[in-house]
Amino acid sequence: MQRRQYGQKLATALFETEDAIDAALEKAAHLIAAMSSVRRENGLSAVLGSDAMTGVTGSVRALGEARDRIVAAHNALQAAAPQVGLGHVVMQGTGTGKPGDDTRPMGLKAVA
């Protein structure tokens, strides 16, 4: 497998993981909102389901930590890229760019 191919394979897996964590955070936030609104709309005590809410909010905290760690892994992989000959290659990602970059969709291309 050529460097660009394995680099793209890792980049694709990384981007998919980042997206999955963000999607899980969105779903958990939706669950928290649904639990709160159902309780309020039905006049139920805040005590009812409190343990469940604690579990869900704990999962959000864990997902936030997972997001921080995957971003750190992203940065570490990016720092390691030049060591394996991928320092001048941009891997295809989500197309949203990074802070400070222009936001054009990224493609696999060599940069001089």
Side-chain angles (χ1 to χ4, degrees):
M1 187 177 287
Q2 293 181 349
R3 288 183 188 144
R4 285 185 181 198
Q5 289 173 320
Y6 70 72
Q8 185 59 59
K9 184 176 182 176
L10 291 176
T12 298
L14 174 65
F15 298 142
E16 289 173 352
T17 303
E18 291 171 341
D19 287 346
I21 292 169
D22 282 344
L25 279 165
E26 291 172 23
K27 295 291 185 181
H30 177 73
L31 177 57
I32 289 169
M35 290 170 68
S36 295
S37 65
V38 165
R39 184 194 66 78
R40 286 184 299 102
E41 290 168 4
N42 292 284
L44 302 172
S45 168
V47 175
L48 182 66
S50 181
D51 289 344
M53 183 63 83
T54 298
V56 177
T57 57
S59 73
V60 169
R61 185 172 38 259
L63 286 166
E65 291 172 9
R67 189 177 192 285
D68 288 345
R69 289 174 188 245
I70 202 67
V71 167
H74 185 140
N75 292 332
L77 286 168
Q78 187 173 2
Q83 297 170 13
V84 294
L86 292 171
H88 299 291
V89 176
V90 176
M91 296 297 158
Q92 182 176 354
T94 61
T96 58
K98 296 180 184 176
D101 290 348
D102 69 26
T103 56
R104 291 177 295 164
M106 298 180 296
L108 189 60
K109 60 183 177 182
V111 180

